[in-house]
Coordinates of all heavy atoms in Angstrom, one line a residue:
M27 N 0.8 -1.2 0.0 CA 0.0 0.0 0.0 C 0.9 1.3 0.0 O 1.9 1.4 0.7 CB -0.9 0.0 1.3 CG -1.7 1.2 1.4 SD -2.7 1.3 2.9 CE -4.3 1.1 2.1
A28 N 0.4 2.2 -0.7 CA 1.2 3.5 -0.8 C 1.1 4.3 0.5 O 0.2 4.1 1.2 CB 0.6 4.3 -1.9
T29 N 2.1 5.1 0.7 CA 2.1 5.9 1.9 C 1.0 6.9 1.9 O 0.8 7.6 0.8 CB 3.5 6.6 2.0 OG1 4.5 5.6 2.0 CG2 3.6 7.4 3.3
R30 N 0.4 7.2 2.9 CA -0.7 8.2 2.9 C 0.0 9.6 3.3 O 0.9 9.7 4.1 CB -1.7 7.8 4.0 CG -2.4 6.6 3.6 CD -3.5 6.2 4.6 NE -4.4 5.1 3.9 CZ -5.3 4.6 4.5 NH1 -5.8 5.1 5.7 NH2 -6.1 3.7 3.9
N31 N -0.6 10.5 2.7 CA -0.1 11.9 2.8 C -1.2 12.7 3.5 O -1.7 13.6 2.9 CB 0.2 12.5 1.4 CG 1.0 13.7 1.4 OD1 1.4 14.2 2.4 ND2 1.3 14.3 0.2
L32 N -1.5 12.4 4.8 CA -2.6 12.9 5.4 C -2.5 14.4 5.7 O -3.6 15.1 5.8 CB -2.8 12.2 6.8 CG -2.9 10.7 6.6 CD1 -3.2 10.0 8.0 CD2 -4.1 10.3 5.7
E33 N -1.3 15.1 5.8 CA -1.3 16.6 6.0 C -1.8 17.3 4.9 O -2.1 18.5 5.0 CB 0.0 17.0 6.4 CG 1.1 16.9 5.3 CD 1.8 15.5 5.2 OE1 1.5 14.6 5.9 OE2 2.6 15.4 4.3
R34 N -2.0 16.7 3.7 CA -2.6 17.3 2.5 C -4.0 17.1 2.3 O -4.6 17.4 1.3 CB -1.7 17.0 1.3 CG -0.2 17.3 1.7 CD 0.6 17.7 0.7 NE 0.1 18.8 -0.2 CZ 0.7 19.2 -1.4 NH1 1.7 18.4 -1.8 NH2 0.3 20.1 -2.1
V35 N -4.6 16.4 3.2 CA -6.1 15.9 3.1 C -6.9 16.9 4.0 O -6.5 17.2 5.1 CB -6.3 14.5 3.5 CG1 -7.8 14.1 3.6 CG2 -5.4 13.5 2.7
P36 N -8.0 17.5 3.5 CA -8.8 18.3 4.3 C -9.2 17.6 5.6 O -9.6 16.5 5.6 CB -9.9 18.6 3.4 CG -9.5 18.4 2.0 CD -8.5 17.3 2.1
H37 N -9.1 18.4 6.7 CA -9.4 17.8 8.0 C -10.7 17.2 8.2 O -10.9 16.1 8.7 CB -9.2 18.9 9.1 CG -9.2 18.4 10.4 ND1 -8.2 17.7 11.0 CD2 -10.2 18.6 11.4 CE1 -8.5 17.4 12.3 NE2 -9.7 17.9 12.6
E38 N -11.7 17.9 7.6 CA -13.1 17.3 7.6 C -13.3 16.0 6.9 O -14.1 15.2 7.3 CB -14.1 18.4 7.2 CG -14.0 18.8 5.6 CD -13.2 19.9 5.4 OE1 -12.2 20.2 6.2 OE2 -13.4 20.6 4.3
V39 N -12.4 15.9 5.8 CA -12.5 14.6 5.1 C -11.9 13.5 5.9 O -12.5 12.4 6.0 CB -11.7 14.7 3.7 CG1 -11.6 13.4 3.1 CG2 -12.5 15.7 2.8
L40 N -10.8 13.8 6.6 CA -10.2 12.8 7.5 C -11.2 12.3 8.6 O -11.3 11.1 8.7 CB -8.9 13.3 8.1 CG -7.7 13.4 7.3 CD1 -6.6 14.0 8.0 CD2 -7.3 12.0 6.8
I41 N -11.8 13.3 9.2 CA -12.7 12.9 10.4 C -13.9 12.1 9.8 O -14.3 11.1 10.4 CB -13.2 14.2 11.0 CG1 -12.0 14.9 11.7 CG2 -14.3 13.9 12.0 CD1 -12.3 16.2 12.3
R42 N -14.5 12.5 8.7 CA -15.6 11.8 8.1 C -15.2 10.5 7.7 O -16.0 9.5 7.9 CB -16.3 12.6 7.1 CG -17.0 13.9 7.6 CD -17.8 14.6 6.7 NE -18.5 15.7 7.3 CZ -18.5 17.0 6.8 NH1 -17.7 17.3 5.8 NH2 -19.1 17.9 7.5
L43 N -14.1 10.3 7.0 CA -13.6 9.0 6.5 C -13.4 8.0 7.7 O -13.7 6.8 7.6 CB -12.4 9.1 5.7 CG -12.5 9.4 4.3 CD1 -11.2 9.7 3.6 CD2 -13.4 8.5 3.5
Q44 N -12.9 8.6 8.8 CA -12.6 7.7 9.9 C -14.0 7.2 10.5 O -14.3 6.0 10.9 CB -11.9 8.4 11.1 CG -11.5 7.7 12.3 CD -10.8 8.4 13.3 OE1 -10.6 9.6 13.2 NE2 -10.2 7.7 14.2
A45 N -15.0 8.1 10.6 CA -16.3 7.7 11.0 C -17.0 6.7 10.1 O -17.8 5.9 10.6 CB -17.2 9.0 11.2
L46 N -16.8 6.9 8.9 CA -17.5 6.0 7.8 C -16.7 4.7 7.4 O -17.2 3.9 6.8 CB -17.7 6.8 6.6 CG -18.7 7.9 6.6 CD1 -18.5 8.8 5.4 CD2 -20.1 7.6 6.8
Q47 N -15.5 4.6 7.9 CA -14.6 3.6 7.4 C -15.3 2.3 7.4 O -15.1 1.5 6.3 CB -13.5 3.5 8.4 CG -12.3 2.5 8.0 CD -11.2 2.7 9.1 OE1 -10.9 3.7 9.6 NE2 -10.5 1.6 9.2
E48 N -16.0 1.7 8.3 CA -16.5 0.4 8.4 C -17.8 0.3 7.4 O -18.1 -0.8 7.0 CB -17.0 0.1 9.8 CG -15.8 0.0 10.7 CD -14.8 -1.0 10.4 OE1 -15.1 -2.1 9.9 OE2 -13.5 -0.7 10.5
S49 N -18.4 1.4 7.0 CA -19.6 1.3 6.3 C -19.4 1.5 4.8 O -20.3 1.4 4.0 CB -20.7 2.3 6.8 OG -20.2 3.6 6.6
L50 N -18.2 1.8 4.4 CA -17.9 2.1 3.0 C -17.9 0.7 2.2 O -17.4 -0.2 2.6 CB -16.6 2.8 2.8 CG -16.4 4.2 3.4 CD1 -15.0 4.7 3.1 CD2 -17.4 5.2 2.7
K51 N -18.5 0.9 1.0 CA -18.4 -0.3 0.1 C -17.0 -0.4 -0.6 O -16.2 0.6 -0.5 CB -19.5 0.0 -1.0 CG -20.9 0.0 -0.5 CD -22.0 0.2 -1.5 CE -23.3 0.3 -0.9 NZ -24.3 0.7 -1.8
R52 N -16.8 -1.4 -1.1 CA -15.4 -1.8 -1.7 C -14.9 -0.7 -2.7 O -13.8 -0.2 -2.5 CB -15.3 -3.2 -2.3 CG -14.0 -3.6 -2.6 CD -13.9 -5.0 -3.3 NE -14.7 -5.9 -2.5 CZ -15.5 -6.9 -3.0 NH1 -15.2 -7.2 -4.3 NH2 -16.2 -7.7 -2.3
A53 N -15.8 -0.3 -3.5 CA -15.3 0.7 -4.6 C -15.2 2.1 -3.9 O -14.3 2.9 -4.2 CB -16.4 0.8 -5.6
E54 N -16.0 2.4 -2.9 CA -15.9 3.7 -2.1 C -14.6 3.6 -1.4 O -13.9 4.7 -1.3 CB -17.0 3.8 -1.2 CG -18.4 4.0 -1.9 CD -19.6 4.1 -0.9 OE1 -19.5 3.4 0.1 OE2 -20.6 4.6 -1.3
R55 N -14.2 2.6 -0.8 CA -12.9 2.4 -0.1 C -11.7 2.7 -1.0 O -10.8 3.2 -0.7 CB -12.8 1.0 0.5 CG -12.8 1.1 2.0 CD -12.6 -0.3 2.6 NE -13.8 -0.5 3.5 CZ -14.4 -1.6 3.6 NH1 -14.1 -2.6 2.9 NH2 -15.5 -1.6 4.4
R56 N -11.8 2.1 -2.3 CA -10.7 2.4 -3.2 C -10.6 3.9 -3.5 O -9.4 4.4 -3.6 CB -11.0 1.7 -4.5 CG -10.8 0.1 -4.5 CD -10.7 -0.5 -5.8 NE -11.8 -0.2 -6.7 CZ -12.9 -1.1 -6.8 NH1 -12.9 -2.2 -6.0 NH2 -13.8 -0.9 -7.5
V57 N -11.7 4.5 -3.6 CA -11.7 6.0 -3.9 C -11.1 6.7 -2.7 O -10.2 7.5 -2.8 CB -13.0 6.6 -4.2 CG1 -13.0 8.1 -4.4 CG2 -13.5 5.9 -5.6
A58 N -11.6 6.3 -1.5 CA -11.0 6.9 -0.3 C -9.5 6.7 -0.1 O -8.8 7.6 0.2 CB -11.8 6.3 0.9
D59 N -9.1 5.5 -0.4 CA -7.6 5.2 -0.3 C -6.8 6.1 -1.3 O -5.8 6.6 -0.9 CB -7.3 3.7 -0.6 CG -7.7 2.8 0.6 OD1 -7.9 3.4 1.7 OD2 -7.9 1.6 0.3
Y60 N -7.4 6.3 -2.5 CA -6.8 7.1 -3.5 C -6.7 8.6 -2.9 O -5.6 9.2 -3.1 CB -7.5 7.1 -4.8 CG -6.7 7.9 -5.8 CD1 -5.7 7.3 -6.6 CD2 -6.9 9.3 -6.1 CE1 -5.0 8.0 -7.6 CE2 -6.3 10.0 -7.1 CZ -5.2 9.3 -7.8 OH -4.6 10.0 -8.7
L61 N -7.7 9.1 -2.4 CA -7.7 10.5 -1.9 C -6.7 10.6 -0.7 O -6.1 11.6 -0.6 CB -9.2 10.8 -1.2 CG -10.3 10.8 -2.3 CD1 -11.6 11.1 -1.5 CD2 -10.1 11.9 -3.4
L62 N -6.5 9.6 0.2 CA -5.6 9.6 1.1 C -4.1 9.5 0.7 O -3.3 10.0 1.3 CB -5.9 8.6 2.2 CG -7.3 8.7 2.9 CD1 -7.6 7.6 3.8 CD2 -7.3 10.0 3.7
T63 N -3.9 8.7 -0.3 CA -2.5 8.5 -0.8 C -2.1 9.4 -1.8 O -0.9 9.7 -2.0 CB -2.3 7.1 -1.3 OG1 -3.3 6.8 -2.3 CG2 -2.5 6.1 -0.2
H64 N -3.0 10.1 -2.5 CA -2.6 11.1 -3.6 C -3.5 12.4 -3.5 O -4.0 12.8 -4.5 CB -2.9 10.4 -5.0 CG -2.2 9.1 -5.1 ND1 -0.9 9.0 -5.4 CD2 -2.7 7.8 -5.3 CE1 -0.6 7.8 -5.4 NE2 -1.7 7.0 -5.4
P65 N -3.6 13.0 -2.3 CA -4.3 14.2 -2.2 C -3.9 15.4 -3.1 O -4.7 16.2 -3.6 CB -4.1 14.6 -0.7 CG -2.9 14.0 -0.3 CD -2.7 12.6 -1.1
D66 N -2.6 15.4 -3.5 CA -2.1 16.4 -4.3 C -2.6 16.2 -5.8 O -2.5 17.2 -6.6 CB -0.6 16.4 -4.3 CG 0.0 15.0 -4.6 OD1 -0.6 14.0 -4.2 OD2 1.2 14.9 -5.2
R67 N -3.1 15.1 -6.2 CA -3.6 14.9 -7.5 C -5.0 15.1 -7.7 O -5.6 15.2 -8.8 CB -3.3 13.4 -8.0 CG -1.9 13.1 -8.0 CD -1.7 11.7 -8.5 NE -0.3 11.3 -8.4 CZ 0.2 10.1 -8.6 NH1 -0.7 9.2 -8.9 NH2 1.5 9.8 -8.5
V68 N -5.8 15.3 -6.7 CA -7.2 15.5 -6.6 C -7.6 16.9 -7.3 O -8.4 16.9 -8.2 CB -7.9 15.5 -5.3 CG1 -9.3 15.8 -5.3 CG2 -7.7 14.2 -4.6
R69 N -6.8 17.9 -7.1 CA -7.1 19.2 -7.6 C -7.1 19.3 -9.1 O -7.9 20.0 -9.7 CB -6.0 20.1 -7.0 CG -6.2 21.5 -7.5 CD -5.1 22.5 -7.0 NE -5.3 23.8 -7.4 CZ -4.5 24.8 -7.0 NH1 -3.4 24.6 -6.3 NH2 -4.7 26.0 -7.4
G70 N -6.2 18.6 -9.7 CA -6.1 18.7 -11.1 C -6.8 17.6 -11.9 O -6.5 17.4 -13.1
T71 N -7.6 16.8 -11.3 CA -8.2 15.7 -12.0 C -9.8 15.8 -12.2 O -10.4 16.6 -11.5 CB -8.0 14.3 -11.2 OG1 -8.3 13.3 -12.1 CG2 -8.7 14.3 -10.0
T72 N -10.2 15.2 -13.2 CA -11.7 15.2 -13.4 C -12.3 14.0 -12.7 O -11.5 13.1 -12.4 CB -12.0 15.2 -14.9 OG1 -11.6 14.0 -15.5 CG2 -11.3 16.4 -15.6
I73 N -13.6 14.0 -12.6 CA -14.2 12.8 -12.0 C -14.0 11.6 -12.9 O -13.9 10.5 -12.4 CB -15.8 13.1 -11.7 CG1 -16.4 12.1 -10.9 CG2 -16.5 13.3 -13.2 CD1 -17.7 12.4 -10.4
V74 N -14.0 11.8 -14.3 CA -13.8 10.7 -15.1 C -12.4 10.1 -14.9 O -12.2 8.8 -14.8 CB -13.9 11.1 -16.6 CG1 -13.6 10.1 -17.6 CG2 -15.3 11.6 -16.8
E75 N -11.4 11.0 -14.8 CA -10.0 10.5 -14.6 C -9.9 9.8 -13.2 O -9.3 8.8 -13.1 CB -9.0 11.6 -14.6 CG -8.9 12.2 -16.0 CD -8.1 13.6 -15.9 OE1 -8.1 14.3 -14.9 OE2 -7.6 14.0 -17.0
L76 N -10.5 10.4 -12.2 CA -10.5 9.8 -10.9 C -11.1 8.5 -10.9 O -10.6 7.4 -10.2 CB -11.1 10.7 -9.8 CG -11.0 10.3 -8.5 CD1 -9.6 10.0 -7.9 CD2 -11.8 11.3 -7.5
A77 N -12.2 8.3 -11.6 CA -12.9 7.0 -11.6 C -12.0 5.9 -12.3 O -12.0 4.8 -11.7 CB -14.3 7.2 -12.4
K78 N -11.4 6.3 -13.3 CA -10.5 5.3 -14.0 C -9.4 4.9 -13.1 O -9.0 3.8 -13.0 CB -9.9 5.9 -15.3 CG -10.9 6.0 -16.4 CD -10.4 6.6 -17.6 CE -11.4 6.7 -18.7 NZ -10.9 7.4 -19.9
R79 N -8.8 5.9 -12.4 CA -7.6 5.6 -11.5 C -7.9 4.7 -10.3 O -7.1 4.0 -9.9 CB -7.0 7.0 -11.0 CG -6.3 7.8 -12.1 CD -5.8 9.0 -11.5 NE -5.3 9.9 -12.6 CZ -4.9 11.2 -12.5 NH1 -5.1 11.8 -11.3 NH2 -4.4 11.9 -13.5
C80 N -9.2 4.8 -9.9 CA -9.6 4.1 -8.8 C -10.4 2.8 -9.0 O -10.6 2.0 -8.2 CB -10.6 5.0 -7.9 SG -9.8 6.5 -7.2
G81 N -10.6 2.7 -10.3 CA -11.4 1.5 -10.7 C -12.9 1.5 -10.1 O -13.4 0.5 -9.7
A82 N -13.4 2.7 -10.2 CA -14.8 2.9 -9.6 C -15.5 3.6 -10.7 O -15.0 4.2 -11.6 CB -14.7 3.7 -8.3
S83 N -16.8 3.7 -10.5 CA -17.7 4.5 -11.3 C -17.7 6.0 -11.0 O -17.4 6.3 -9.7 CB -19.1 4.0 -11.4 OG -19.7 4.2 -10.2
E84 N -18.1 6.9 -11.8 CA -18.4 8.3 -11.4 C -19.5 8.3 -10.4 O -19.3 9.2 -9.5 CB -18.7 9.0 -12.7 CG -17.6 9.1 -13.7 CD -18.1 9.6 -15.1 OE1 -18.9 10.5 -15.2 OE2 -17.6 9.0 -16.1
A85 N -20.5 7.5 -10.5 CA -21.5 7.6 -9.5 C -21.0 7.3 -8.1 O -21.4 7.8 -7.1 CB -22.6 6.6 -9.9
T86 N -20.0 6.3 -8.0 CA -19.4 6.0 -6.7 C -18.6 7.2 -6.1 O -18.8 7.5 -4.9 CB -18.4 4.8 -6.9 OG1 -19.1 3.6 -7.3 CG2 -17.7 4.6 -5.5
I87 N -18.0 8.0 -7.0 CA -17.3 9.1 -6.5 C -18.3 10.2 -6.0 O -18.1 10.8 -5.0 CB -16.4 9.7 -7.5 CG1 -15.2 8.6 -7.9 CG2 -15.8 11.0 -7.1 CD1 -14.4 8.9 -9.0
V88 N -19.4 10.3 -6.7 CA -20.4 11.3 -6.3 C -20.9 10.9 -4.9 O -21.2 11.6 -3.9 CB -21.5 11.5 -7.3 CG1 -22.7 12.4 -6.8 CG2 -21.0 12.1 -8.6
R89 N -21.3 9.6 -4.8 CA -21.9 9.0 -3.6 C -21.0 9.3 -2.4 O -21.3 9.7 -1.3 CB -22.3 7.6 -3.7 CG -23.5 7.3 -4.3 CD -23.9 5.8 -4.1 NE -23.0 4.9 -4.6 CZ -22.9 4.5 -5.9 NH1 -23.9 4.8 -6.7 NH2 -22.0 3.6 -6.3
L90 N -19.6 8.9 -2.6 CA -18.7 9.1 -1.5 C -18.6 10.6 -1.2 O -18.5 10.9 0.0 CB -17.3 8.6 -1.9 CG -16.2 8.8 -0.9 CD1 -16.6 8.0 0.4 CD2 -14.8 8.3 -1.3
S91 N -18.5 11.5 -2.2 CA -18.5 12.9 -1.9 C -19.6 13.4 -1.0 O -19.4 14.1 -0.1 CB -18.5 13.7 -3.2 OG -17.4 13.4 -4.0
K92 N -20.8 12.9 -1.3 CA -22.0 13.2 -0.5 C -21.9 12.6 0.9 O -22.3 13.3 1.9 CB -23.3 12.8 -1.2 CG -23.6 13.6 -2.5 CD -24.9 13.2 -3.1 CE -25.1 14.2 -4.3 NZ -26.4 14.0 -4.9
K93 N -21.4 11.3 1.0 CA -21.2 10.8 2.3 C -20.3 11.6 3.2 O -20.4 11.6 4.5 CB -20.8 9.3 2.2 CG -21.8 8.3 1.8 CD -21.2 6.8 1.8 CE -22.2 5.9 1.4 NZ -21.8 4.5 1.5
L94 N -19.3 12.2 2.5 CA -18.3 13.0 3.2 C -18.9 14.4 3.6 O -18.1 15.3 4.1 CB -17.0 13.1 2.4 CG -16.2 11.8 2.3 CD1 -15.1 11.9 1.3 CD2 -15.8 11.3 3.6
G95 N -20.1 14.7 3.2 CA -20.7 16.0 3.4 C -20.7 17.1 2.4 O -21.0 18.2 2.7
F96 N -20.2 16.7 1.2 CA -20.2 17.7 0.1 C -21.4 17.5 -0.7 O -22.0 16.4 -0.8 CB -18.9 17.4 -0.7 CG -17.6 17.7 0.2 CD1 -17.0 16.7 0.8 CD2 -17.2 19.0 0.4 CE1 -15.9 16.8 1.6 CE2 -16.1 19.2 1.2 CZ -15.4 18.1 1.8
E97 N -21.7 18.5 -1.6 CA -22.8 18.4 -2.5 C -22.5 17.5 -3.6 O -23.3 16.9 -4.3 CB -23.2 19.8 -3.0 CG -23.9 20.7 -1.9 CD -24.4 21.9 -2.5 OE1 -24.8 22.0 -3.7 OE2 -24.4 22.9 -1.9
G98 N -21.1 17.4 -4.0 CA -20.7 16.5 -5.0 C -19.2 16.5 -5.2 O -18.6 17.2 -4.3
F99 N -18.7 16.0 -6.3 CA -17.3 15.9 -6.5 C -16.7 17.3 -6.6 O -15.5 17.6 -6.0 CB -16.9 15.1 -7.7 CG -15.4 15.1 -7.9 CD1 -14.6 14.4 -7.0 CD2 -14.9 15.6 -9.1 CE1 -13.2 14.4 -7.3 CE2 -13.5 15.6 -9.3 CZ -12.7 14.9 -8.3
P100 N -17.2 18.4 -7.3 CA -16.6 19.7 -7.4 C -16.3 20.3 -6.0 O -15.3 20.9 -5.8 CB -17.7 20.5 -8.2 CG -18.4 19.5 -9.0 CD -18.5 18.3 -8.1
E101 N -17.3 20.1 -5.1 CA -17.0 20.7 -3.7 C -15.9 19.9 -3.0 O -15.2 20.5 -2.2 CB -18.4 20.6 -3.0 CG -19.4 21.6 -3.5 CD -20.1 21.1 -4.8 OE1 -20.0 19.9 -5.0 OE2 -20.7 21.9 -5.4
L102 N -15.9 18.6 -3.1 CA -14.8 17.8 -2.5 C -13.4 18.3 -3.1 O -12.5 18.4 -2.4 CB -15.1 16.3 -2.8 CG -13.9 15.4 -2.3 CD1 -13.8 15.3 -0.8 CD2 -14.2 13.9 -2.9
K103 N -13.5 18.4 -4.4 CA -12.2 18.8 -5.1 C -11.7 20.2 -4.7 O -10.6 20.4 -4.4 CB -12.4 18.8 -6.6 CG -11.4 19.1 -7.5 CD -11.7 18.9 -8.9 CE -10.8 19.5 -9.9 NZ -11.2 19.2 -11.3
A104 N -12.7 21.1 -4.4 CA -12.4 22.4 -3.9 C -11.8 22.4 -2.5 O -10.9 23.2 -2.1 CB -13.7 23.3 -3.9
A105 N -12.3 21.5 -1.6 CA -11.8 21.3 -0.3 C -10.2 20.9 -0.4 O -9.4 21.4 0.4 CB -12.5 20.3 0.5
F106 N -9.9 20.0 -1.4 CA -8.5 19.6 -1.4 C -7.7 20.7 -2.1 O -6.5 20.9 -1.7 CB -8.5 18.4 -2.4 CG -8.6 17.1 -1.7 CD1 -9.9 16.6 -1.5 CD2 -7.6 16.4 -1.2 CE1 -10.1 15.4 -0.8 CE2 -7.8 15.1 -0.5 CZ -9.1 14.7 -0.3
S107 N -8.3 21.6 -2.9 CA -7.6 22.7 -3.5 C -7.2 23.7 -2.4 O -6.2 24.3 -2.4 CB -8.4 23.3 -4.6 OG -8.5 22.5 -5.7
A108 N -8.2 24.0 -1.5 CA -7.9 24.9 -0.4 C -6.7 24.5 0.5 O -6.0 25.4 0.9 CB -9.3 25.1 0.4
V109 N -6.7 23.2 0.7 CA -5.5 22.7 1.4 C -4.2 23.0 0.7 O -3.3 23.5 1.3 CB -5.6 21.3 1.8 CG1 -4.4 20.7 2.4 CG2 -6.8 21.0 2.8
E110 N -4.2 22.7 -0.6 CA -3.0 22.9 -1.4 C -2.6 24.4 -1.4 O -1.4 24.7 -1.5 CB -3.2 22.4 -2.8 CG -2.9 20.9 -3.0 CD -2.8 20.6 -4.5 OE1 -2.1 21.3 -5.2 OE2 -3.4 19.6 -4.8
E111 N -3.6 25.2 -1.4 CA -3.3 26.7 -1.5 C -3.1 27.3 -0.1 O -3.0 28.4 0.0 CB -4.5 27.4 -2.2 CG -4.7 26.9 -3.7 CD -5.9 27.4 -4.3 OE1 -6.8 28.1 -3.6 OE2 -6.2 27.0 -5.5
G112 N -3.0 26.5 0.9 CA -2.8 27.0 2.2 C -3.9 27.6 2.9 O -3.8 28.3 4.0
E113 N -5.1 27.4 2.4 CA -6.3 27.9 3.0 C -7.0 26.8 3.9 O -8.2 26.7 3.8 CB -7.3 28.4 1.9 CG -6.7 29.5 1.0 CD -7.5 29.7 -0.2 OE1 -8.7 29.3 -0.2 OE2 -7.1 30.4 -1.1
R114 N -6.3 26.2 4.7 CA -6.9 25.1 5.6 C -7.9 25.7 6.5 O -7.7 26.7 7.1 CB -5.8 24.5 6.4 CG -5.1 23.3 5.7 CD -4.2 22.7 6.7 NE -4.8 21.4 7.1 CZ -4.2 20.4 7.2 NH1 -2.8 20.3 6.9 NH2 -4.7 19.3 7.6
H115 N -9.1 25.0 6.4 CA -10.1 25.3 7.3 C -10.5 24.2 8.1 O -10.7 23.1 7.6 CB -11.4 25.8 6.5 CG -11.1 27.0 5.7 ND1 -11.0 28.2 6.1 CD2 -10.9 27.2 4.3 CE1 -10.8 29.1 5.2 NE2 -10.7 28.5 4.1
F116 N -10.6 24.3 9.4 CA -11.1 23.3 10.3 C -12.5 23.5 10.6 O -12.8 24.3 11.6 CB -10.2 23.2 11.5 CG -8.7 22.9 11.3 CD1 -7.9 23.9 11.2 CD2 -8.4 21.6 11.0 CE1 -6.5 23.6 10.9 CE2 -7.1 21.3 10.7 CZ -6.2 22.3 10.7
E117 N -13.4 22.9 9.8 CA -14.8 23.2 10.0 C -15.4 22.0 10.7 O -15.4 20.9 10.2 CB -15.4 23.3 8.7 CG -14.9 24.6 8.0 CD -15.5 24.8 6.5 OE1 -16.6 24.1 6.3 OE2 -14.9 25.4 5.7
Y118 N -15.9 22.2 11.9 CA -16.5 21.1 12.7 C -18.0 21.1 12.6 O -18.6 20.1 12.9 CB -16.1 21.2 14.1 CG -14.6 21.1 14.3 CD1 -13.6 22.2 14.3 CD2 -14.0 19.8 14.3 CE1 -12.3 21.9 14.4 CE2 -12.7 19.6 14.5 CZ -11.9 20.7 14.5 OH -10.5 20.5 14.5
E119 N -18.5 22.1 12.1 CA -20.1 22.1 12.0 C -20.5 21.1 11.1 O -20.1 21.0 9.9 CB -20.5 23.6 11.5 CG -22.0 23.7 11.4 CD -22.4 25.1 11.0 OE1 -22.2 26.1 11.8 OE2 -22.8 25.2 9.8
G120 N -21.5 20.2 11.5 CA -22.1 19.3 10.6 C -21.3 17.9 10.4 O -21.7 17.0 9.7
I121 N -20.2 17.8 11.2 CA -19.4 16.6 10.9 C -20.1 15.4 11.4 O -20.1 14.3 10.8 CB -18.0 16.8 11.6 CG1 -17.1 17.8 10.9 CG2 -17.3 15.4 11.8 CD1 -15.8 18.1 11.5
L122 N -20.8 15.5 12.6 CA -21.5 14.4 13.1 C -22.9 14.2 12.7 O -23.6 13.4 13.2 CB -21.5 14.4 14.6 CG -20.1 14.4 15.2 CD1 -20.1 14.6 16.8 CD2 -19.3 13.2 14.9
S123 N -23.3 15.1 11.8 CA -24.7 15.1 11.3 C -24.9 14.1 10.2 O -24.1 13.5 9.7 CB -25.3 16.4 10.8 OG -24.4 16.9 9.9

């Protein structure tokens, strides 16, 4: 397994993934693992490219994005971009909802 680069993953994503870990389906886990091991690649990828890299469907990526509290993949991608740009936000509102 590749090394995880957790300091480049949005904090809210880490917290939610930890909470959801046991309930994720196999394809969702592959996407989650990719996000954790390659957070620097999320910003510049499309949902189609990410799906191919993870061996998952685009629908799986949208479902995981929603499970993580985002409206869809563009919002998840924006959270990763904010970390890359040094705009880290520790948002706790809604994490347990």
